[in-house]
Amino acid sequence: MLAAYDATMARLLDRAGIDALLVGDSLGTVILGYDTTLPVTLDVMIHHSRAVSNGAKRALVIADMPFLTYQVSVSETVRNAGRLIQEGGAAAVKLEGGAAVADSVRRLVDVGIPVMGHVGLTPQSVHRLGGYRAVGKTPREASEIIEDARAVERAGAFAVVLESIPDAVAAAITAELKIPTIGIGAGPACDGQVLVSYDAFGLFDVFVPRFVKQYARLGEAMVNAAKEYIADVQQGKFPGGEHSVSMEQPVKKEQPVKNEQPVKNEQPGKKAAG
Ligand code: KIV
């Protein structure tokens, strides 16, 4: 699984054979430039989900439920998840948390909305966690995470993301659960893996988490391409003849182009507006 936010990226990843595309609320940092995912709204998620759904023809599209859209009440959760499906075109939703969100997960599944869980480091709880840090390193934290994973499975989630937890804890959860675990910073024992596409392709370089492997350096390639374009324009090399439109018959200079009216009351030395 890879996180994608627009139709072009979705189309390319779909073509590469990706199983699932996550419209992650990580778009808050990667696309919108915020420090956290907390300012991301439901309308923004719907907008990007629609784009990804338009681009993906084969991959499963899963949309993140943003902060405060599933914590208030179960009925509000159903309405908000329903909008991601109905307006955003997603086939499933993902929400962060374990035991605390189990009732909402159960209700969503009951009404026909597939749910992916997300336990371990849950970025929407950044302030409670005191920053983005690996969790589950102590026996107490590890057993809380294992219990959270069990809770989302019992509630009917079809898969669960395990984020930034020790490999051994992820391996224990993967061995115990029947649903697939999808890891990010959770080691190789998970059933699947997820990365943010902008991280994996070297586009987002504000910070690169330790668990990211850069499969390309598209950021560098874009900077170089932009420099080349700027130089071409400045040196008159672009656009060339092959990028330009020529007329079928050359226009004679003294012959006015059809429909063009002479400009009235033109002041000497001034160009007419428009
Ligand atoms: O928002 C996101 O992209 C995510 C993944 C990192 C799992 O939740």
Side-chain angles (χ1 to χ4, degrees):
M1 181 160 85
L2 281 163
Y5 316 109
D6 65 72
T8 298
M9 183 72 90
R11 192 169 44 78
L12 293 172
L13 302 182
D14 202 68
R15 197 194 295 166
I18 200 79
D19 286 330
L21 290 169
L22 172 68
V23 189
D25 63 351
S26 50
L27 65 82
T29 47
V30 174
I31 302 293
L32 302 178
Y34 294 119
D35 288 338
T36 71
T37 57
L38 300 178
V40 177
T41 63
L42 185 63
D43 285 338
V44 166
M45 289 306 300
I46 291 170
H47 178 79
H48 285 273
S49 300
R50 189 67 264 167
V52 170
S53 306
N54 288 344
K57 296 290 165 251
R58 190 192 44 77
L60 177 72
V61 176
I62 303 155
D64 251 343
M65 296 198 71
F67 179 59
L68 231 50
T69 62
Y70 58 95
Q71 291 91 342
V72 177
S73 71
V74 172
S75 58
E76 231 181 78
T77 306
V78 173
R79 192 172 304 282
N80 293 335
R83 288 191 63 201
L84 286 165
I85 305 289
Q86 193 172 45
E87 298 169 46
V93 298
K94 174 168 84 56
L95 47 83
E96 296 180 8
V101 295
D103 286 346
S104 292
V105 173
R106 193 166 295 112
R107 182 72 188 129
L108 290 176
V109 175
D110 281 351
V111 301
I113 299 176
V115 178
M116 177 176 270
H118 183 158
V119 303
L121 169 58
T122 46
Q124 292 173 19
S125 306
V126 58
H127 296 312
R128 179 169 54 82
L129 294 169
Y132 296 110
R133 61 172 182 89
V135 291
K137 288 185 180 177
T138 63
R140 194 170 141 225
E141 266 191 10
S143 50
E144 275 170 18
I145 293 164
I146 293 170
E147 201 36 65
D148 279 339
R150 287 179 184 143
V152 292
E153 177 175 73
R154 270 198 308 271
F158 72 91
V160 60
V161 167
L162 308 178
E163 180 163 354
S164 291
I165 61 174
D167 294 11
V169 179
I173 295 173
T174 304
E176 182 183 323
L177 297 195
K178 292 193 180 64
I179 59 173
T181 57
I182 314 293
I184 177 161
C190 299
D191 297 302
Q193 297 289 330
V194 57
L195 280 177
V196 167
S197 52
Y198 276 59
D199 288 338
F201 305 146
L203 279 163
F204 184 73
D205 57 4
V206 177
F207 63 89
V208 182
R210 190 185 140 160
F211 53 73
V212 167
K213 177 171 173 184
Q214 286 187 332
Y215 287 86
R217 300 204 180 272
L218 297 191
E220 254 170 60
M222 280 176 72
V223 171
N224 289 336
K227 282 183 181 167
E228 209 178 309
Y229 165 69
I230 293 164
D232 271 6
V233 171
Q234 285 173 342
Q235 293 161 20
K237 290 188 192 159
F238 177 83
E242 70 276 33
H243 308 115
S244 306
V245 180
S246 44
M247 298 199 65
E248 283 170 12
Q249 287 175 348
V251 183
K252 286 185 193 148
K253 269 202 172 141
E254 62 277 13
Q255 193 184 338
V257 178
K258 205 178 167 193
N259 293 336
E260 193 175 290
Q261 301 296 323
V263 181
K264 284 181 194 158
N265 300 330
E266 198 178 336
Q267 290 175 24
K270 272 200 171 180
K271 274 192 173 175

